[in-house]
Amino acid sequence: MLQQPLAAAPDQPTEPTSWQDTVQWRINEMAERVRRGQEDNVYYFLQPVAELDGAHVLVRGRKKLMFASYSYLGLLNHPKINEAAKAAIDRFGTGTHGVRILAGTLTLHEELEQTIARFKGTDDAITYSSGYATNLATISTLVGRNDWVLSDKWNHASIVDGCLLSRAEFVRFRHNDMDDLARQLRKAPAGVSKLVVADAVFSMDGDIVNLPVLVDVCRRYGARLMVDEAHSLGVLGKTGRGIEEHFDMPGAIDIKMGTLSKTIPAIGGYIAGDKRTITYLKHVARAFVFSAALPPPVAAAAKAAFEVLEEEAPARKAILQRNVEHFLGGLKALGFNTGRTVTPIIPVIVGTDERAMAMTHLLQEDGIFALSVLPPAVPDGTSRIRANVTAAHTAEDIEDALAAFARAGRALGVIA
């Protein structure tokens, strides 16, 4: 993600001359970029957090206000979730006997999947070891040679990698442009299987996919629809059930993907859908068949988190929405460019890589844990600070963050 131009390291050639040289050149180049960033005091990736205290974290002896968290509803360290994880260790230990399809399935795994299916309104569900593995395995299992897979251009990297791995005809349509999607679908040969994949909430800009029109286009052209709800679970819908609830369209999505590491404070990913599809994935998806099962405390924590969502989501969502409106409104009033976001993912677009990294430095020194996002994760010229608001923030926290952003923005000439 460090993209500023740098000279070659002293011990490497300027231009690689062989495959081996190319690999080593890339390794050396990244090492040099990291070293320069650290030397210039603008490298803030991979910071080790020593303690969690609500919306605050302790980093290298300094307490900072966290604005890079995916814990949208503030469920990290929720007592019910923590107790469930501890009880699972007492009962099952810290691991399993292997992969799920052989000796690794516990009653906990079945209970978690039943809980997810109930929460998402489907027949069944499957869980994987990570959200990335979920997209990679599911897409590459559902489509293959001679099929078509169509992906929004702003989809997450895990979706893109799943499409590439599938070896299907991979077509990208313009971001949230359903007319372009329809044009691409019309090009598909008659009789081919078609899968359309989109994020529900786009992770770099915070905007929401146009689900009503997306569903209409997919049905019109006979395509199955898969939606990644990594950033919409707990965020969209009155009870946090996601984008179908947000648009009042229950059952509109064929394949519902989500993660267990954002609103749900664990690790892993899931697919919720009809029983036949889930059975197929459990016997064919390589990242499920050949990956070790989720550890018992993780599965128990995720299950408890869904139960907490059912009990507490409306109240926590009200706090989250208040915080989003407070922070986003404050940034706009200061003159920052926040793009098209309508969710807790709030991009503060500053333009150049150097300016984004300098702003990260000023914010971090001011006690705000926020990070820059640079190309190729975002288009050239749109480097940004991606600030995530959560229900753990207080109104005072929001005001403190706005003041810090104002100081940094003025110091760098981002705002007047």
Side-chain angles (χ1 to χ4, degrees):
M1 295 178 71
L2 296 174
Q3 297 295 310
Q4 70 271 34
L6 297 171
D11 60 345
Q12 72 182 76
T14 303
E15 295 293 334
T17 57
S18 68
W19 176 83
Q20 290 87 352
D21 286 344
T22 299
V23 172
Q24 191 59 51
W25 184 84
R26 290 170 181 160
I27 292 170
N28 292 345
E29 182 186 39
M30 180 53 68
E32 181 68 6
R33 286 178 174 178
V34 170
R35 185 192 67 78
R36 293 271 188 95
Q38 292 169 335
E39 188 177 82
D40 295 341
N41 204 22
V42 295
Y43 183 90
Y44 286 93
F45 304 112
L46 302 173
Q47 293 180 84
V49 172
E51 293 180 12
L52 301 173
D53 180 16
H56 291 83
V57 293
L58 186 67
V59 181
R60 296 189 174 100
R62 285 197 61 192
K63 189 176 182 180
K64 297 184 181 183
L65 187 55
M66 172 58 81
F67 269 81
S69 173
Y70 295 137
S71 183
Y72 296 119
L73 293 187
L75 297 184
L76 276 172
N77 275 332
H78 190 289
K80 179 176 179 177
I81 298 171
N82 286 359
E83 285 304 316
K86 293 172 186 176
I89 291 177
D90 290 340
R91 182 180 176 189
F92 293 103
T94 58
T96 69
H97 295 286
V99 298
R100 285 281 307 277
I101 200 167
L102 298 178
T105 294
L106 304 176
T107 54
L108 264 180
H109 296 122
E110 292 187 332
E111 291 166 5
L112 170 59
E113 289 166 348
Q114 290 163 8
T115 299
I116 293 170
R118 183 180 72 248
F119 191 85
K120 297 300 294 181
T122 62
D123 297 336
D124 204 355
I126 177 176
T127 52
Y128 296 84
S129 58
S130 73
Y132 180 91
T134 302
N135 278 331
L136 198 72
T138 302
I139 296 168
S140 63
T141 301
L142 292 178
V143 291
R145 291 187 187 278
N146 302 317
D147 299 328
W148 274 46
V149 60
L150 300 96
S151 170
D152 187 293
K153 281 193 173 181
W154 287 11
N155 276 346
H156 190 265
S158 59
I159 295 175
V160 174
D161 290 352
C163 294
L164 293 170
L165 183 63
S166 74
R167 295 177 293 180
E169 182 70 25
F170 178 28
V171 178
R172 303 179 78 179
F173 59 93
R174 289 197 294 266
H175 174 56
N176 229 349
D177 186 336
M178 301 309 149
D179 290 335
D180 189 46
L181 172 60
R183 279 192 292 272
Q184 303 302 333
L185 282 167
R186 283 196 292 269
K187 297 177 184 177
V192 302
S193 294
K194 300 177 287 289
L195 176 68
V196 174
V197 191
D199 281 321
V201 171
F202 293 89
S203 62
M204 293 300 162
D205 287 77
D207 55 331
I208 301 172
V209 75
N210 187 349
L211 185 67
V213 181
L214 176 59
V215 169
D216 177 68
V217 171
C218 287
R219 289 176 178 170
R220 201 185 325 152
Y221 292 96
R224 297 186 80 185
L225 175 61
M226 175 176 169
V227 175
D228 179 333
E229 296 226 57
H231 295 275
S232 60
L233 182 72
V235 172
L236 298 183
K238 183 178 179 180
T239 65
R241 280 174 165 78
I243 195 164
E244 287 183 332
E245 184 178 52
H246 176 76
F247 284 106
D248 193 20
M249 298 176 64
I253 299 167
D254 301 305
I255 302 152
K256 305 175 190 183
M257 181 273 175
T259 182
L260 303 176
S261 61
K262 294 179 173 60
T263 292
I264 304 298
I267 188 69
Y270 68 82
I271 296 290
D274 68 273
K275 192 164 188 64
R276 285 180 177 270
T277 298
I278 300 304
T279 298
Y280 176 70
L281 291 173
K282 285 182 176 179
H283 291 81
V284 180
R286 294 169 72 87
F288 180 86
V289 174
F290 296 105
S291 289
L294 289 177
V298 171
K303 177 177 178 289
F306 278 100
E307 293 166 354
V308 169
L309 275 184
E310 292 178 321
E311 298 162 3
E312 302 180 16
R316 288 178 177 267
K317 275 203 76 258
I319 297 171
L320 177 62
Q321 187 58 37
R322 179 201 70 194
N323 288 345
V324 170
E325 292 171 0
H326 185 175
F327 189 59
L328 183 56
L331 288 172
K332 288 181 176 179
L334 287 167
F336 284 107
N337 176 7
T338 56
R340 62 186 80 193
T341 184
V342 291
T343 67
I345 299 170
I346 300 178
V348 180
I349 301 169
V350 299
T352 66
D353 299 357
E354 292 77 11
R355 183 177 278 181
M357 294 169 75
M359 190 162 179
T360 300
H361 171 75
L362 292 177
L363 289 169
Q364 293 273 349
E365 289 298 300
D366 213 356
I368 305 297
F369 192 114
L371 295 170
S372 54
V373 179
L374 314 175
V378 294
D380 289 335
T382 69
S383 293
R384 65 197 63 188
I385 307 298
R386 184 176 62 170
N388 294 346
V389 179
T390 76
H393 290 123
T394 65
E396 183 181 4
D397 293 336
I398 301 293
E399 284 297 319
D400 288 346
L402 286 171
F405 270 86
R407 286 189 289 268
R410 288 173 182 141
L412 295 171
V414 176
I415 57 173

